[in-house]
Amino acid sequence: MRTALVTGLVGLALLGGGPAAMADDPGPGAPGPAEGVQQRQECAPTATGRATGSGDPLAAVHRLADGTGQRIAVIDTGVSPHPSLAGRLSGGGDYVAGGDGLSDCDGHGTEVAGLLAAAPDPVTRSGGGIAPAAEILSLRQSSSRFTVTGPDGRDRPAGEIDTLAAAIERSVAMGATVINISEVVCVPADRAVDAGAPLQRAVRKATEAGVVVVAAAGNADPSGTCTGDPGLRPMPALFDDVVAVGAVDGADRPAPFSVPGDWVDVAAQGVDVRPSATGNGSSLLSGTSYAAPVVSGIAALLRERFPSLTPDQIADRIRATARHPAHGRDEHVGFGVVDPQAALTAEPLLLRPAPDPAAAPVPRDTSVLPGLGERPVDHTPAVLGGLFAALILGIATTAAIRRVRATPSPPHPHDRLGGPPDLPVLARPGDSARPSSSARPSSSARPSGSARPSGSARPRPCGPPTDRPSIDGPATGRPWTGPPSTGGPGAARSTTGGAPHGSPGTGRGSATRPDVPPPRSAPHGRTAPPPTRTPVGPPAPSTTPTRHPERAARR
């Protein structure tokens, strides 16, 4: 078996490099030169042209993702250093002549790398790759300018299925997130299982490691292994874990050289492709080799924009958002021509291609890009944000209330004095002999209805005081009832003797005056009995009514 490089090159200006033997050693584990390898042709000279055109046709896409943080392994003829790849190109090894893989005698791998990740021209902004910020990892695995001797003794171009499988495994080990394989080998269908077993294992391991593998479907070439015979199977495009890419022209018509088959997943432009900044800008390119990097670049953009997606989910998203053929899936373009904008903006996140794209096209939304129309409003973020804000506000309010309750309030002046002060009792002028409030009987010792509540027990009513001192008695707050009398000269409280107001004139407390207020009423309407008091002493005998000595003293 021989590995056939998918050429399809039309007027390429090749970017040359030194002989492979001059390349630096990439380090431990690097592959050595192929057994019996010989260089049959000189390397092509380095192209010095610039990309033609102006502007970036994918500017809107690159506002969403540009490949930042992604490493794309290019398993090809090597990649020569170029200013448009400066700082983002590293070598992974050379399975042809040994070295670091940064030598490209064919120019094919360098052109593929430019379509993938070349930086645009700083003046015209043209010539940029699909993922202009991605890193490129170069592994040289084949070359049409080198030959090896086969088991039959005949020379064939360098590159074997075993070395291709080894290059895939090495790419995974070196941190690739996407692998682009723009080469293919076709074998008879009855030998595909045995011959492709090591290659299929390598692809499966890469997918399980989270790496997206993209491969060209192959070019029909009578001089190569893919002759167009329907009994041949292209590898690695044949495998389910690989996104196989066919070629179309600018009108989405299948390219006549693109190898058809039910293994084709999608298609991309592979006819008259404008070269990237790594080319000379004068020749157009054709071949499935140049369609594959378009899909690999989209995969890198998806890896950046949706890092949680698995390789299978990314592949499904690329298939589901492709421009489906009107007649449904076919063997030339698979599920359709890829659409970078739809792949990056379609909703929902997880998509699967419809079994019959013509009957059930997958809806996609590209209006998220600036200037492409209004996108349907998704109220979910606003609702969740409102609920979260309400939760935070509730927590803050609860905390504030707890702080206010926990903070002791400053003491009131009355609290420091043991309660509000007792309001003063009104007194008339000359009432200096009135006892202090502390000398008055407490409410607990006085009969019900006669006790005046203390100031600390309840506030004094705003009306006239009910315990105002009697006009005839001492300043005790109670009416004066007179001294005990037995009907003598001092028993009468009037000039005529006898009891005023028809009251008996005998007995203690029988004398009253009309200007003395009646006794206070006890609670619940009961009349409080007059309090008893110890007489101060009998007044001096007199035949005429006189005021009590204590009253005289007060005056």
Side-chain angles (χ1 to χ4, degrees):
M1 291 181 296
R2 48 181 298 193
T3 300
L5 174 67
V6 180
T7 55
L9 308 179
V10 180
L12 272 177
L14 300 178
L15 298 177
M22 300 295 292
D24 294 335
D25 187 351
E35 184 178 355
V37 64
Q38 295 182 12
Q39 184 172 355
R40 299 298 185 180
Q41 302 179 37
E42 293 183 358
C43 295
T46 302
T48 58
R50 295 177 57 184
T52 59
S54 62
D56 181 7
L58 296 178
V61 172
H62 291 156
R63 284 195 289 268
L64 299 175
D66 58 5
T68 299
Q70 304 304 308
R71 171 172 282 192
I72 306 174
V74 176
I75 302 177
D76 212 286
T77 62
V79 178
S80 295
H82 192 276
S84 65
L85 300 173
R88 296 181 291 113
L89 175 62
S90 59
D94 189 340
Y95 291 86
V96 176
D100 58 5
L102 298 181
S103 179
D104 184 10
C105 288
D106 302 80
H108 185 266
T110 303
E111 203 56 81
V112 168
L115 293 173
L116 271 169
D121 185 276
V123 178
T124 64
R125 306 303 302 171
S126 63
I130 302 296
E135 300 178 9
I136 294 296
L137 176 66
S138 174
L139 295 94
R140 182 157 77 164
Q141 188 269 334
S142 63
S143 176
S144 63
R145 298 177 182 263
F146 289 80
T147 61
V148 294
T149 303
D152 56 1
R154 293 185 300 179
D155 292 344
R156 61 174 182 263
E160 304 288 339
I161 291 180
D162 291 343
T163 57
L164 179 56
I168 293 174
E169 294 176 352
R170 183 167 176 81
S171 299
V172 175
M174 297 186 72
T177 57
V178 179
I179 296 176
N180 182 90
I181 305 174
S182 288
E183 56 187 32
V184 64
V185 57
C186 290
V187 298
D190 57 351
R191 297 175 54 193
V193 175
D194 294 337
L199 186 57
Q200 187 174 14
R201 285 194 298 268
V203 170
R204 175 60 58 85
K205 291 180 180 179
T207 303
E208 292 174 350
V211 181
V212 181
V213 181
V214 180
N219 295 347
D221 181 8
S223 63
T225 61
C226 297
T227 62
D229 186 341
L232 298 176
R233 298 293 181 265
M235 293 187 296
L238 178 66
F239 307 135
D240 292 339
D241 294 321
V242 173
V243 182
V245 185
V248 296
D249 60 14
D252 291 354
R253 293 186 297 260
F257 54 78
S258 183
V259 175
D262 58 3
W263 51 83
V264 177
D265 292 293
V266 290
Q269 183 172 354
V271 178
D272 296 337
V273 178
R274 189 180 299 278
S276 68
T278 58
N280 61 8
S282 61
S283 300
L284 298 179
L285 311 174
S286 295
T288 56
S289 293
Y290 306 117
V294 176
V295 179
S296 296
I298 294 174
L301 299 181
L302 290 173
R303 290 298 304 265
E304 175 194 353
R305 185 166 172 79
F306 307 114
S308 63
L309 295 184
T310 65
D312 289 339
Q313 292 169 342
I314 289 177
D316 282 342
R317 191 173 179 87
I318 292 174
R319 299 184 190 104
T321 56
R323 297 190 294 270
H324 305 306
H327 54 277
R329 180 180 181 181
D330 62 25
E331 294 185 347
H332 294 276
V333 299
F335 288 95
V337 180
V338 293
D339 187 335
Q341 291 182 357
L344 266 67
T345 60
E347 296 179 349
L349 178 62
L350 299 180
L351 296 172
R352 292 184 61 86
D356 187 355
V362 177
R364 55 184 183 271
D365 179 14
T366 60
S367 60
V368 69
L369 301 179
L372 297 180
E374 297 183 0
R375 185 177 184 175
V377 178
D378 183 7
H379 297 284
T380 301
V383 173
L384 294 179
L387 293 176
F388 181 75
L391 177 62
I392 295 300
L393 180 60
I395 294 175
T397 303
T398 303
I401 293 175
R402 290 179 177 177
R403 285 197 299 269
V404 170
R405 290 179 175 177
T407 303
S409 59
H412 193 273
H414 294 171
D415 297 336
R416 292 193 298 268
L417 297 177
D422 194 9
L423 298 178
V425 179
L426 297 178
R428 294 186 299 178
D431 195 11
S432 59
R434 178 180 178 180
S436 63
S437 61
S438 61
R440 294 196 299 268
S442 63
S443 59
S444 61
R446 300 173 61 183
S448 174
S450 62
R452 185 180 65 83
S454 64
S456 60
R458 63 177 182 177
R460 182 179 297 278
C462 297
T466 59
D467 54 354
R468 182 172 179 175
S470 172
I471 201 169
D472 291 322
T476 61
R478 294 183 298 275
W480 168 249
T481 58
S485 173
T486 58
R493 297 301 303 268
S494 65
T495 55
T496 59
H501 307 294
S503 299
T506 61
R508 181 180 175 85
S510 61
T512 61
R513 291 186 53 171
D515 58 347
V516 176
R520 287 173 47 189
S521 297
H524 307 293
R526 294 175 296 180
T527 302
T532 58
R533 64 187 298 267
T534 305
V536 176
S542 175
T543 59
T544 61
T546 61
R547 294 185 175 88
H548 195 277
E550 289 182 1
R551 182 178 176 187
R554 289 174 57 195
R555 293 186 180 277

Short mmCIF file of all heavy atoms in Angstrom, two decimals, residues 55-72 82-89 112-122 125-136 276-278 293-294 296-302 304 340 344:
data_model
loop_
_atom_site.label_atom_id
_atom_site.label_comp_id
_atom_site.label_asym_id
_atom_site.label_seq_id
_atom_site.Cartn_x
_atom_site.Cartn_y
_atom_site.Cartn_z
N GLY A 55 -10.19 43.47 2.89
CA GLY A 55 -11.21 43.21 3.91
C GLY A 55 -11.24 41.76 4.34
O GLY A 55 -10.71 40.86 3.69
N ASP A 56 -11.88 41.54 5.49
CA ASP A 56 -12.02 40.21 6.06
C ASP A 56 -13.46 39.74 5.87
O ASP A 56 -14.38 40.29 6.49
CB ASP A 56 -11.68 40.23 7.56
CG ASP A 56 -11.78 38.87 8.22
OD1 ASP A 56 -12.00 37.87 7.50
OD2 ASP A 56 -11.64 38.80 9.45
N PRO A 57 -13.70 38.76 5.00
CA PRO A 57 -15.08 38.31 4.78
C PRO A 57 -15.72 37.67 6.01
O PRO A 57 -16.93 37.54 6.07
CB PRO A 57 -14.95 37.31 3.63
CG PRO A 57 -13.55 36.83 3.70
CD PRO A 57 -12.74 37.99 4.19
N LEU A 58 -14.91 37.28 6.99
CA LEU A 58 -15.43 36.65 8.20
C LEU A 58 -15.27 37.58 9.41
O LEU A 58 -15.15 37.11 10.55
CB LEU A 58 -14.71 35.33 8.46
CG LEU A 58 -14.92 34.24 7.41
CD1 LEU A 58 -14.10 33.00 7.78
CD2 LEU A 58 -16.39 33.88 7.29
N ALA A 59 -15.29 38.87 9.17
CA ALA A 59 -15.09 39.81 10.28
C ALA A 59 -16.17 39.65 11.35
O ALA A 59 -15.88 39.70 12.55
CB ALA A 59 -15.09 41.25 9.75
N ALA A 60 -17.41 39.43 10.92
CA ALA A 60 -18.49 39.26 11.91
C ALA A 60 -18.30 38.00 12.72
O ALA A 60 -18.57 37.96 13.93
CB ALA A 60 -19.85 39.24 11.19
N VAL A 61 -17.81 36.93 12.07
CA VAL A 61 -17.56 35.68 12.79
C VAL A 61 -16.42 35.86 13.78
O VAL A 61 -16.48 35.38 14.92
CB VAL A 61 -17.24 34.56 11.78
CG1 VAL A 61 -16.78 33.30 12.52
CG2 VAL A 61 -18.45 34.26 10.93
N HIS A 62 -15.39 36.58 13.37
CA HIS A 62 -14.22 36.74 14.24
C HIS A 62 -14.50 37.66 15.42
O HIS A 62 -13.70 37.70 16.35
CB HIS A 62 -13.05 37.27 13.42
CG HIS A 62 -12.54 36.26 12.42
ND1 HIS A 62 -11.86 36.61 11.27
CD2 HIS A 62 -12.62 34.91 12.41
CE1 HIS A 62 -11.54 35.51 10.60
NE2 HIS A 62 -11.99 34.47 11.28
N ARG A 63 -15.61 38.38 15.39
CA ARG A 63 -15.99 39.13 16.59
C ARG A 63 -16.53 38.20 17.67
O ARG A 63 -16.59 38.56 18.84
CB ARG A 63 -17.04 40.19 16.24
CG ARG A 63 -16.45 41.41 15.54
CD ARG A 63 -17.45 42.56 15.55
NE ARG A 63 -18.57 42.32 14.66
CZ ARG A 63 -18.61 42.70 13.38
NH1 ARG A 63 -17.56 43.31 12.84
NH2 ARG A 63 -19.68 42.46 12.65
N LEU A 64 -16.93 37.00 17.27
CA LEU A 64 -17.42 36.02 18.23
C LEU A 64 -16.32 35.07 18.69
O LEU A 64 -16.26 34.67 19.85
CB LEU A 64 -18.56 35.21 17.61
CG LEU A 64 -19.80 36.00 17.19
CD1 LEU A 64 -20.79 35.10 16.48
CD2 LEU A 64 -20.45 36.68 18.38
N ALA A 65 -15.46 34.68 17.77
CA ALA A 65 -14.36 33.76 18.09
C ALA A 65 -13.33 33.86 16.99
O ALA A 65 -13.67 34.03 15.81
CB ALA A 65 -14.86 32.32 18.24
N ASP A 66 -12.06 33.74 17.38
CA ASP A 66 -10.97 33.80 16.39
C ASP A 66 -9.96 32.68 16.57
O ASP A 66 -8.90 32.69 15.96
CB ASP A 66 -10.25 35.15 16.44
CG ASP A 66 -9.67 35.46 17.82
OD1 ASP A 66 -9.76 34.58 18.71
OD2 ASP A 66 -9.14 36.56 18.02
N GLY A 67 -10.28 31.70 17.40
CA GLY A 67 -9.38 30.58 17.61
C GLY A 67 -8.42 30.74 18.76
O GLY A 67 -7.53 29.89 18.95
N THR A 68 -8.60 31.76 19.56
CA THR A 68 -7.70 31.98 20.69
C THR A 68 -7.71 30.78 21.64
O THR A 68 -8.78 30.28 22.01
CB THR A 68 -8.11 33.25 21.46
OG1 THR A 68 -8.03 34.36 20.58
CG2 THR A 68 -7.21 33.46 22.66
N GLY A 69 -6.52 30.33 22.01
CA GLY A 69 -6.40 29.21 22.93
C GLY A 69 -6.50 27.85 22.28
O GLY A 69 -6.46 26.84 23.00
N GLN A 70 -6.62 27.77 20.96
CA GLN A 70 -6.75 26.49 20.28
C GLN A 70 -5.44 26.14 19.56
O GLN A 70 -4.77 27.02 19.02
CB GLN A 70 -7.90 26.52 19.27
CG GLN A 70 -9.23 26.91 19.90
CD GLN A 70 -9.61 26.01 21.04
OE1 GLN A 70 -9.63 24.79 20.90
NE2 GLN A 70 -9.95 26.60 22.18
N ARG A 71 -5.11 24.86 19.56
CA ARG A 71 -3.92 24.36 18.87
C ARG A 71 -4.37 23.36 17.81
O ARG A 71 -4.93 22.31 18.14
CB ARG A 71 -2.94 23.72 19.85
CG ARG A 71 -1.79 23.01 19.17
CD ARG A 71 -0.75 22.54 20.17
NE ARG A 71 0.10 23.65 20.59
CZ ARG A 71 1.23 23.49 21.27
NH1 ARG A 71 1.64 22.27 21.63
NH2 ARG A 71 1.95 24.53 21.60
N ILE A 72 -4.12 23.71 16.57
CA ILE A 72 -4.54 22.87 15.45
C ILE A 72 -3.31 22.15 14.90
O ILE A 72 -2.35 22.78 14.47
CB ILE A 72 -5.18 23.71 14.33
CG1 ILE A 72 -6.33 24.56 14.89
CG2 ILE A 72 -5.69 22.81 13.20
CD1 ILE A 72 -6.93 25.52 13.88
N HIS A 82 6.51 31.46 8.47
CA HIS A 82 5.98 32.56 7.66
C HIS A 82 5.57 33.69 8.60
O HIS A 82 5.10 33.44 9.72
CB HIS A 82 4.79 32.09 6.82
CG HIS A 82 4.37 33.06 5.77
ND1 HIS A 82 3.52 34.11 6.02
CD2 HIS A 82 4.70 33.14 4.45
CE1 HIS A 82 3.34 34.81 4.91
NE2 HIS A 82 4.04 34.22 3.93
N PRO A 83 5.75 34.95 8.15
CA PRO A 83 5.37 36.08 9.03
C PRO A 83 3.91 36.04 9.48
O PRO A 83 3.60 36.48 10.60
CB PRO A 83 5.64 37.30 8.15
CG PRO A 83 6.69 36.86 7.19
CD PRO A 83 6.40 35.41 6.92
N SER A 84 3.02 35.51 8.67
CA SER A 84 1.62 35.49 9.06
C SER A 84 1.33 34.45 10.14
O SER A 84 0.24 34.44 10.72
CB SER A 84 0.73 35.20 7.84
OG SER A 84 0.98 33.90 7.33
N LEU A 85 2.30 33.58 10.43
CA LEU A 85 2.17 32.57 11.49
C LEU A 85 3.15 32.83 12.63
O LEU A 85 3.32 31.97 13.50
CB LEU A 85 2.39 31.17 10.92
CG LEU A 85 1.43 30.72 9.83
CD1 LEU A 85 1.88 29.37 9.25
CD2 LEU A 85 0.00 30.62 10.34
N ALA A 86 3.79 33.97 12.63
CA ALA A 86 4.84 34.26 13.59
C ALA A 86 4.30 34.18 15.01
O ALA A 86 3.23 34.72 15.33
CB ALA A 86 5.41 35.66 13.33
N GLY A 87 5.06 33.47 15.86
CA GLY A 87 4.70 33.34 17.26
C GLY A 87 3.63 32.31 17.53
O GLY A 87 3.30 32.07 18.69
N ARG A 88 3.07 31.70 16.50
CA ARG A 88 2.00 30.73 16.70
C ARG A 88 2.28 29.41 15.97
O ARG A 88 1.35 28.61 15.78
CB ARG A 88 0.67 31.31 16.20
CG ARG A 88 0.21 32.52 16.99
CD ARG A 88 -1.12 33.08 16.50
NE ARG A 88 -1.00 33.69 15.18
CZ ARG A 88 -1.57 33.22 14.07
NH1 ARG A 88 -2.30 32.11 14.12
NH2 ARG A 88 -1.40 33.83 12.92
N LEU A 89 3.51 29.18 15.57
CA LEU A 89 3.87 27.97 14.84
C LEU A 89 4.92 27.20 15.63
O LEU A 89 5.92 27.77 16.07
CB LEU A 89 4.42 28.34 13.45
CG LEU A 89 4.97 27.18 12.60
CD1 LEU A 89 3.87 26.17 12.28
CD2 LEU A 89 5.61 27.72 11.33
N VAL A 112 -2.08 24.97 3.61
CA VAL A 112 -3.18 24.53 4.46
C VAL A 112 -3.15 25.28 5.80
O VAL A 112 -4.19 25.74 6.30
CB VAL A 112 -3.09 23.01 4.68
CG1 VAL A 112 -4.04 22.57 5.79
CG2 VAL A 112 -3.40 22.26 3.39
N ALA A 113 -1.96 25.42 6.36
CA ALA A 113 -1.84 26.15 7.63
C ALA A 113 -2.26 27.60 7.47
O ALA A 113 -2.87 28.19 8.38
CB ALA A 113 -0.42 26.06 8.14
N GLY A 114 -1.95 28.21 6.31
CA GLY A 114 -2.37 29.59 6.08
C GLY A 114 -3.88 29.72 6.00
O GLY A 114 -4.47 30.67 6.55
N LEU A 115 -4.56 28.79 5.31
CA LEU A 115 -6.01 28.83 5.26
C LEU A 115 -6.63 28.65 6.64
O LEU A 115 -7.71 29.17 6.92
CB LEU A 115 -6.53 27.75 4.30
CG LEU A 115 -6.19 27.93 2.81
CD1 LEU A 115 -6.61 26.70 2.03
CD2 LEU A 115 -6.85 29.18 2.27
N LEU A 116 -5.93 27.94 7.49
CA LEU A 116 -6.42 27.71 8.84
C LEU A 116 -6.24 28.91 9.75
O LEU A 116 -7.19 29.35 10.41
CB LEU A 116 -5.70 26.50 9.46
CG LEU A 116 -6.29 25.13 9.23
CD1 LEU A 116 -5.31 24.06 9.66
CD2 LEU A 116 -7.59 24.99 10.00
N ALA A 117 -5.03 29.45 9.81
CA ALA A 117 -4.72 30.38 10.90
C ALA A 117 -3.84 31.55 10.52
O ALA A 117 -3.29 32.20 11.42
CB ALA A 117 -4.06 29.61 12.04
N ALA A 118 -3.69 31.87 9.25
CA ALA A 118 -2.84 33.01 8.90
C ALA A 118 -3.43 34.31 9.41
O ALA A 118 -4.66 34.51 9.39
CB ALA A 118 -2.66 33.07 7.38
N ALA A 119 -2.56 35.19 9.88
CA ALA A 119 -3.01 36.52 10.28
C ALA A 119 -3.26 37.34 9.02
O ALA A 119 -2.55 37.22 8.03
CB ALA A 119 -1.95 37.19 11.15
N PRO A 120 -4.28 38.18 9.02
CA PRO A 120 -4.58 38.95 7.82
C PRO A 120 -3.50 39.99 7.54
O PRO A 120 -2.73 40.37 8.41
CB PRO A 120 -5.92 39.60 8.14
CG PRO A 120 -5.95 39.67 9.63
CD PRO A 120 -5.23 38.46 10.11
N ASP A 121 -3.46 40.43 6.30
CA ASP A 121 -2.52 41.48 5.92
C ASP A 121 -2.80 42.74 6.74
O ASP A 121 -3.95 43.16 6.86
CB ASP A 121 -2.67 41.78 4.42
CG ASP A 121 -1.62 42.77 3.94
OD1 ASP A 121 -1.85 44.00 4.10
OD2 ASP A 121 -0.59 42.32 3.40
N PRO A 122 -1.78 43.34 7.33
CA PRO A 122 -2.04 44.49 8.21
C PRO A 122 -2.59 45.71 7.48
O PRO A 122 -3.16 46.60 8.11
CB PRO A 122 -0.66 44.78 8.82
CG PRO A 122 0.31 44.17 7.87
CD PRO A 122 -0.36 42.98 7.28
N ARG A 125 -6.15 43.88 5.33
CA ARG A 125 -6.95 43.00 6.18
C ARG A 125 -7.46 41.78 5.42
O ARG A 125 -8.43 41.14 5.82
CB ARG A 125 -8.16 43.74 6.78
CG ARG A 125 -7.82 45.00 7.53
CD ARG A 125 -6.84 44.72 8.64
NE ARG A 125 -7.35 43.74 9.60
CZ ARG A 125 -6.63 43.18 10.57
NH1 ARG A 125 -5.34 43.47 10.68
NH2 ARG A 125 -7.18 42.31 11.39
N SER A 126 -6.80 41.41 4.35
CA SER A 126 -7.18 40.24 3.57
C SER A 126 -6.17 39.13 3.82
O SER A 126 -5.10 39.35 4.39
CB SER A 126 -7.22 40.58 2.07
OG SER A 126 -5.93 40.96 1.61
N GLY A 127 -6.51 37.92 3.34
CA GLY A 127 -5.59 36.79 3.43
C GLY A 127 -5.57 36.10 4.77
O GLY A 127 -4.72 35.24 5.00
N GLY A 128 -6.48 36.43 5.68
CA GLY A 128 -6.49 35.80 6.98
C GLY A 128 -7.13 34.42 6.94
O GLY A 128 -7.91 34.09 6.04
N GLY A 129 -6.78 33.59 7.92
CA GLY A 129 -7.33 32.25 8.00
C GLY A 129 -8.68 32.22 8.69
O GLY A 129 -9.19 33.24 9.17
N ILE A 130 -9.25 31.02 8.75
CA ILE A 130 -10.55 30.85 9.41
C ILE A 130 -10.42 31.13 10.91
O ILE A 130 -11.32 31.73 11.52
CB ILE A 130 -11.08 29.42 9.18
CG1 ILE A 130 -11.22 29.13 7.69
CG2 ILE A 130 -12.42 29.23 9.88
CD1 ILE A 130 -12.22 30.00 6.99
N ALA A 131 -9.33 30.71 11.51
CA ALA A 131 -9.08 30.93 12.95
C ALA A 131 -7.74 31.66 13.09
O ALA A 131 -6.71 31.04 13.41
CB ALA A 131 -9.07 29.61 13.70
N PRO A 132 -7.70 32.95 12.85
CA PRO A 132 -6.42 33.67 12.75
C PRO A 132 -5.65 33.81 14.05
O PRO A 132 -4.51 34.29 14.02
CB PRO A 132 -6.85 35.05 12.22
CG PRO A 132 -8.26 35.21 12.66
CD PRO A 132 -8.85 33.84 12.62
N ALA A 133 -6.23 33.41 15.16
CA ALA A 133 -5.50 33.50 16.44
C ALA A 133 -5.09 32.13 16.97
O ALA A 133 -4.50 32.04 18.05
CB ALA A 133 -6.35 34.22 17.48
N ALA A 134 -5.38 31.08 16.23
CA ALA A 134 -5.05 29.72 16.70
C ALA A 134 -3.57 29.43 16.49
O ALA A 134 -2.90 30.04 15.65
CB ALA A 134 -5.90 28.69 15.95
N GLU A 135 -3.07 28.47 17.27
CA GLU A 135 -1.70 28.00 17.11
C GLU A 135 -1.67 26.83 16.12
O GLU A 135 -2.64 26.09 15.99
CB GLU A 135 -1.13 27.54 18.45
CG GLU A 135 -1.08 28.61 19.52
CD GLU A 135 -0.55 28.08 20.83
OE1 GLU A 135 -0.06 26.92 20.85
OE2 GLU A 135 -0.63 28.80 21.84
N ILE A 136 -0.54 26.71 15.45
CA ILE A 136 -0.36 25.62 14.48
C ILE A 136 0.76 24.70 14.98
O ILE A 136 1.85 25.17 15.32
CB ILE A 136 -0.01 26.16 13.08
CG1 ILE A 136 -1.19 26.96 12.51
CG2 ILE A 136 0.36 25.02 12.14
CD1 ILE A 136 -2.43 26.14 12.27
N SER A 276 -4.19 32.14 1.06
CA SER A 276 -4.04 32.96 2.26
C SER A 276 -2.78 33.80 2.15
O SER A 276 -2.12 33.86 1.11
CB SER A 276 -3.97 32.05 3.49
OG SER A 276 -2.76 31.32 3.47
N ALA A 277 -2.42 34.44 3.28
CA ALA A 277 -1.23 35.27 3.29
C ALA A 277 0.04 34.45 3.11
O ALA A 277 1.10 35.02 2.82
CB ALA A 277 -1.16 36.05 4.60
N THR A 278 -0.04 33.13 3.27
CA THR A 278 1.16 32.31 3.10
C THR A 278 1.45 32.01 1.63
O THR A 278 2.49 31.44 1.32
CB THR A 278 1.01 30.98 3.85
OG1 THR A 278 -0.15 30.29 3.36
CG2 THR A 278 0.87 31.21 5.34
N PRO A 293 -9.42 22.42 5.68
CA PRO A 293 -9.06 23.42 6.70
C PRO A 293 -10.17 24.40 7.02
O PRO A 293 -10.18 24.99 8.11
CB PRO A 293 -7.83 24.11 6.10
CG PRO A 293 -7.83 23.77 4.67
CD PRO A 293 -8.48 22.45 4.55
N VAL A 294 -11.11 24.59 6.10
CA VAL A 294 -12.26 25.45 6.42
C VAL A 294 -13.05 24.85 7.58
O VAL A 294 -13.42 25.54 8.54
CB VAL A 294 -13.15 25.64 5.18
CG1 VAL A 294 -14.40 26.45 5.54
CG2 VAL A 294 -12.38 26.33 4.06
N SER A 296 -11.93 22.51 9.71
CA SER A 296 -11.07 22.46 10.91
C SER A 296 -11.03 23.82 11.60
O SER A 296 -11.04 23.89 12.85
CB SER A 296 -9.65 22.04 10.51
OG SER A 296 -9.65 20.73 9.99
N GLY A 297 -11.00 24.89 10.81
CA GLY A 297 -11.02 26.22 11.42
C GLY A 297 -12.32 26.49 12.15
O GLY A 297 -12.32 27.06 13.25
N ILE A 298 -13.46 26.06 11.57
CA ILE A 298 -14.75 26.24 12.25
C ILE A 298 -14.76 25.43 13.55
O ILE A 298 -15.28 25.89 14.58
CB ILE A 298 -15.89 25.82 11.32
CG1 ILE A 298 -15.97 26.77 10.11
CG2 ILE A 298 -17.22 25.81 12.07
CD1 ILE A 298 -17.00 26.34 9.08
N ALA A 299 -14.21 24.23 13.51
CA ALA A 299 -14.15 23.41 14.73
C ALA A 299 -13.35 24.12 15.82
O ALA A 299 -13.72 24.08 17.00
CB ALA A 299 -13.55 22.05 14.42
N ALA A 300 -12.26 24.78 15.43
CA ALA A 300 -11.47 25.52 16.42
C ALA A 300 -12.26 26.69 16.99
O ALA A 300 -12.18 26.98 18.20
CB ALA A 300 -10.17 26.01 15.78
N LEU A 301 -13.03 27.38 16.16
CA LEU A 301 -13.85 28.48 16.66
C LEU A 301 -14.91 27.97 17.63
O LEU A 301 -15.19 28.61 18.66
CB LEU A 301 -14.52 29.20 15.49
CG LEU A 301 -13.59 29.85 14.44
CD1 LEU A 301 -14.41 30.54 13.35
CD2 LEU A 301 -12.63 30.84 15.09
N LEU A 302 -15.50 26.82 17.30
CA LEU A 302 -16.50 26.24 18.21
C LEU A 302 -15.86 25.78 19.51
O LEU A 302 -16.48 25.92 20.59
CB LEU A 302 -17.20 25.06 17.53
CG LEU A 302 -18.14 25.41 16.38
CD1 LEU A 302 -18.64 24.14 15.69
CD2 LEU A 302 -19.31 26.24 16.87
N GLU A 304 -13.44 27.17 20.98
CA GLU A 304 -13.23 28.39 21.78
C GLU A 304 -14.54 28.93 22.34
O GLU A 304 -14.62 29.29 23.53
CB GLU A 304 -12.56 29.46 20.92
CG GLU A 304 -12.40 30.80 21.65
CD GLU A 304 -12.05 31.95 20.73
OE1 GLU A 304 -11.80 31.69 19.53
OE2 GLU A 304 -12.02 33.09 21.20
N PRO A 340 -20.19 29.08 8.66
CA PRO A 340 -19.52 29.47 9.92
C PRO A 340 -20.40 30.28 10.86
O PRO A 340 -20.39 30.07 12.07
CB PRO A 340 -18.31 30.28 9.44
CG PRO A 340 -18.09 29.84 8.03
CD PRO A 340 -19.44 29.51 7.48
N LEU A 344 -21.77 29.09 14.75
CA LEU A 344 -21.43 29.79 15.99
C LEU A 344 -22.62 30.43 16.67
O LEU A 344 -22.51 30.83 17.84
CB LEU A 344 -20.37 30.87 15.71
CG LEU A 344 -18.92 30.44 15.92
CD1 LEU A 344 -18.50 29.40 14.91
CD2 LEU A 344 -17.98 31.64 15.86
#
